[in-house]
Amino acid sequence: MPRKNLTQYSRTSRRDHARRWKRSKVSAALVGGPLILAVVAGSVFAAGSRHHRPGTQEASAQPTPAGEPNANCALEVPDQPLTAGGLATPYELVATDPAQGPCHEANPDQAAFVEAAILTKDGKLSIYNPLVVDKGTRPAARPVRPSVPAGSTVGIWFGFNNANLTLKASGRSDGLGQGKCVNGIQNSIFGQFAYCNAPAFFKAAGDLSAAKKLTIPGLGTAKDGLPCPTTRDFSVVDQDGSDNVVTHYLADARGRIVQNNAAGKKALTRSKRLDNRGDRHHRHDGRVRSAKANAPTVLANGSDNLLLTQFMDPALGCKPFTAPNQSSDGQATSALALDELSAAANQQEPIALIPQNDPMTLVDGRVSVEKTNAYRAGVNMPAVGADGDGAAYCRTLFGDPAGIQRVFKDKAIFETAPSPDPGTAPNLFAFLAARAHGTFSDLGCDTLLDVPNPVTLTADGDGLVTDAVLVPLGQTPPSAGPTDSTSPSASPTPSAGASDTPAVSATPTTPASAASSMAKPSSRTQRHSN
């Protein structure tokens, strides 16, 4: 099939990539997750969102286009959300504006996720995933009631598979105040992200660590000889780092939701058998149902955390920081809170802290120190200083050996690893290259640095990214034009003032097949409300 070199990856292609990585879901290749099922329903791969550059935010009041799911949903926070009873009470999903259409948790394009970390006063950590159901419905299995010993500190984080998730109180309760929940700043929510009591959780963790009661493991060494990456590693981050969570739920075709554990799986399987049995008016059709047909769907929240701990870490021979998950039969799992504790303790310079040009921290398309600091507080980062400069962030991300250059140098490692989204790229390297290309535009690096996109993608006739080349910042990218699978495009020509650093080329090789072991976490959605 003919291939083409994409110096300017089309806006449509970037949007398609964004849709798939933020909202397509997970299959058996996810590493370390309990009861990750081998079969994921085809509807899991649906998509529909936009990347947003500074100055191009969309108001949440805009009508939902016909045929697309409502991109603006709300979660009703239960009473006393930081207690064992509050954690075990399902959050309820509802449309922020019913006129834009309904919101359904079982729809992977609208699924919202909740992830809690529980830290006891003697330094013991555990994870718990509160359940989310549609408003007015009940889960198919009663949520596990977690253990929250007296004196524990609980933090809660949220992720969303569409554009704007708003937290609201449930009924007459004051769950938002009780949980010290932060959804953004006044009149400007983050978008896909929110948290409750996160600063208190991280402070308690810091105090216990200083008192030698909490041990945060070191990173170890990756296959490339460098320290294993964290969520603050410039080879990992994109336009909105440290966003979303690692939570998984199970759902069936009727929209019933359960926690990802043995009891939940059993409840959905039992319900499926009852559905198929029929009654005296509607007899069973006599067909034998396969285990595949009866398997629940796994719902998951695509995130930097998921990409790091379940794709990049395994490829690099690294192990994430994990803790027992009380909602998943005690299985050891990663989580946003654990990733951020590890990053704060272990990440060496350069450190990727949330910059002011992160699309989730903009207000009406403009940078906001207040909103950036509000976001940083929820992920254990210091307040904005000189490190918040967007141009400096772009320059390090694309110009420092610790940034995207590491991805290209590790091509031989990543190209044999499964792609998070085979609909975008056949292997992890090509996926990361496509993600980097989009990040350059989404952060407005072209404007801030006044240089062209340094990542040039090669795609086949169907738009599947098959290869990429990275040139030093300021150099002219390879010229667009037809090429084949064995010959990268013309060598870059230095422009005025360009670096003498040689281009990092991804020499095409045969990509490993990911057909049977791939996972498809969701695409990066960048739509934020004002």
Side-chain angles (χ1 to χ4, degrees), residues 393-427:
Y393 189 91
C394 289
R395 193 173 295 110
T396 303
L397 181 58
F398 290 96
D400 193 284
I404 299 303
Q405 288 184 32
R406 181 177 181 181
V407 171
F408 280 76
K409 290 178 180 178
D410 286 346
K411 173 185 177 285
I413 296 174
F414 290 137
E415 72 174 354
T416 61
S419 171
D421 178 14
T424 292
N427 56 64

Side-chain angles (χ1 to χ4, degrees), residues 68-73 93-104 107 110 134:
E68 290 192 12
N70 188 348
N72 306 296
C73 301
L93 186 72
V94 63
T96 307
D97 178 3
Q100 295 186 353
C103 290
H104 294 298
N107 183 344
Q110 296 177 312
D134 287 2

Side-chain angles (χ1 to χ4, degrees), residues 160-182:
F160 186 45
N161 281 353
N162 214 301
N164 298 303
L165 182 68
T166 301
L167 300 185
K168 58 187 296 187
S170 177
R172 297 181 179 179
S173 72
D174 185 27
L176 294 177
Q178 296 161 350
K180 300 179 181 177
C181 300
V182 177

